[in-house]
Amino acid sequence: LVGQGPSWCRLVLRGRGGQSGLRVDIQLRAPSPDLGLALAVDWRQHHEVLRWELPLAQVAQRYAADTSAGVLERPAQALTVREQARWEVTAISWLASQAKAGAGGLAVLLDGPQGVSATPDQLGVSLLRAPTWPDPSADNGHPRLRLALVPCAAGWAPAGVPRLALR
């Protein structure tokens, strides 16, 4: 805990992932509905992907993400061979889970296009990668990424997730 007041709280978590140092700043401010996450990384990995995977309290039946053509909405459980072959889709600014109709969900607000995925148990965001070809140093350095988590009691549309992502 690095700071708190009557309407805000800030936590900092530090750790390592392989050779890379990680720092996550977590902020909660009233009356904002979101939990802010700022990730700073000293990225030094090779041939790896850094993913943020969020376990869900409620099993998701569907998930949605904004894309360049609108909103992509899919079942969270892959049923066909074609659906099982998918791993990620590109989201521009948000990803959200949806439990049963009228039950809740969780939205992840992104600070730019990211690869995202979902299962009935979790939401995932690919944050950085360490390619070996064509440029092995493509993501190396000190990137800062911002995310926010927003509860969606009645679903992503009634919660105004696209509007919150713009904010």
Side-chain angles (χ1 to χ4, degrees):
L1 181 64
V2 295
Q4 66 182 13
S7 62
W8 66 278
C9 178
R10 183 171 164 230
L11 299 153
V12 174
L13 303 172
R14 296 172 201 257
R16 297 197 68 73
Q19 302 172 31
S20 302
L22 306 168
R23 174 189 165 129
V24 181
D25 284 87
I26 304 168
Q27 283 196 28
L28 182 59
R29 295 185 175 275
S32 177
D34 62 79
L35 177 69
L37 305 168
L39 175 66
V41 182
D42 180 13
W43 189 241
R44 299 170 184 249
Q45 300 305 109
H46 298 285
H47 201 67
E48 293 183 25
V49 173
L50 177 64
R51 287 185 46 83
W52 191 290
E53 295 186 351
L54 301 152
L56 298 172
Q58 296 180 2
V59 174
Q61 290 189 343
R62 301 186 66 72
Y63 77 96
D66 68 333
T67 66
S68 59
V71 174
L72 171 72
E73 203 166 0
R74 288 186 174 169
Q77 179 66 48
L79 300 175
T80 67
V81 173
R82 184 174 182 206
E83 288 174 348
Q84 291 167 356
R86 73 173 189 241
W87 184 55
E88 285 191 338
V89 298
T90 303
I92 295 173
S93 61
W94 62 268
L95 163 71
S97 69
Q98 176 68 53
K100 292 183 283 185
L106 177 70
V108 180
L109 308 181
L110 309 169
D111 68 350
Q114 299 287 347
V116 299
S117 62
T119 66
D121 303 340
Q122 72 182 20
L123 296 177
V125 180
S126 291
L127 301 171
L128 294 170
R129 64 186 192 100
T132 53
W133 187 86
D135 180 6
S137 63
D139 281 349
N140 286 350
H142 297 35
R144 293 186 57 82
L145 304 154
R146 291 179 37 203
L147 303 169
L149 306 179
V150 179
C152 303
W156 64 269
V161 169
R163 178 184 44 79
L164 292 171
L166 286 174
R167 182 179 58 82

